[in-house]
Amino acid sequence: MDLASETIEKQALQQLHDAASPELRRDIGLHTHEIGSSLVSVARALPDSAIVINRTVGLGLWETATPVMLDTVLAAYSDAAVAQYFIHLHPQSQPTALTDWLIARGVPATRGWQKFERGPGELPATRSDLQVRRVGAEHGDDLARIVCDAFDLGDLARPWLARLHGLRRRRAGRDRVGIHPRRHGVDGFRGHRPGIPATWVSGCTDRRTDRLRPRAGVHEAVHMHRGAVPGDPQHSYKNIERAGFRTTYVRDNHAPPEA
């Protein structure tokens, strides 16, 4: 199974932290920890609903996990008084006993996340008055507001997420931090204002955009959505499939019962 999607997500989560200034890291309580092959993302001061930030990617995926590694991951959240978080388990995460270890520690499985992929090419025609175009620092505040409202991250995260646009990656001997130079955002605009959460293009990936063109250097698109369950209308899920994405695998999510 191709692990590119997990690699990209892990890198993107680290870049998200890199975009924060030292002051924002202090105020939000932002930390990342590399434990085994996993990246543990912690945002201590954000609300409990900020589970899309407080999550761990890659546990047992590139390096077999141990009980000590798992306990260290869980301690990173308990020490920061973070009550709700996700521990993602890829189908290839090892050992298979990881699931039992998590359950025994009071972190049961919850609804998984479906991964999608598609190659470059034209997207099906759609009816919309939104215009898709690249965004920059001038739209940072608008996009931060949309993302914070959509994911219930609270106002404290807005100045952090506003920095994602137009920043460059940290370079040796400099204090500049932010998004990789090859990573940029595109968004749907109605008039002069962005109307949907931004899509990021980074390296060889693209998500939710009609810019899936080989000439733009995009070779594969990846997306993620809550796994399908009986009785759920799955409107967004079906929109992803209509855009030509194919399902690849479901990644298990473990979370404390409050989540």
Side-chain angles (χ1 to χ4, degrees), residues 98-120:
L98 258 175
T99 297
D100 295 332
W101 295 350
L102 280 160
I103 293 173
R105 288 161 173 77
V107 189
T110 64
R111 188 172 180 177
W113 286 357
Q114 175 71 60
K115 289 281 188 136
F116 298 84
E117 293 181 4
R118 62 156 291 169

Side-chain angles (χ1 to χ4, degrees), residues 75-204:
Y77 293 113
S78 63
D79 290 349
V82 172
Q84 297 185 13
Y85 52 85
F86 274 144
I87 308 294
H88 301 309
L89 290 189
H90 186 276
Q92 291 184 354
S93 292
Q94 295 295 323
T96 56
L98 258 175
T99 297
D100 295 332
W101 295 350
L102 280 160
I103 293 173
R105 288 161 173 77
V107 189
T110 64
R111 188 172 180 177
W113 286 357
Q114 175 71 60
K115 289 281 188 136
F116 298 84
E117 293 181 4
R118 62 156 291 169
E122 298 290 337
L123 293 180
T126 59
R127 294 182 179 179
S128 175
D129 60 351
L130 293 176
Q131 297 178 336
V132 178
R133 61 178 185 262
R134 184 177 295 200
V135 296
E138 71 276 15
H139 300 294
D141 290 339
D142 289 330
L143 292 172
R145 173 182 50 80
I146 294 170
V147 173
C148 287
D149 288 349
F151 291 98
D152 198 15
L153 300 182
D155 290 339
L156 190 59
R158 286 178 61 174
W160 171 33
L161 298 183
R163 290 172 55 87
L164 289 174
H165 305 275
L167 293 179
R168 293 186 176 182
R169 193 176 188 177
R170 183 190 290 113
R171 297 179 180 178
R174 301 185 183 182
D175 295 329
R176 299 174 68 180
V177 297
I179 298 305
H180 190 283
R182 292 188 63 195
R183 177 172 173 153
H184 61 268
V186 295
D187 203 345
F189 282 76
R190 179 173 288 112
H192 297 289
R193 300 195 65 179
I196 59 174
T199 291
W200 290 105
V201 183
S202 178
C204 62

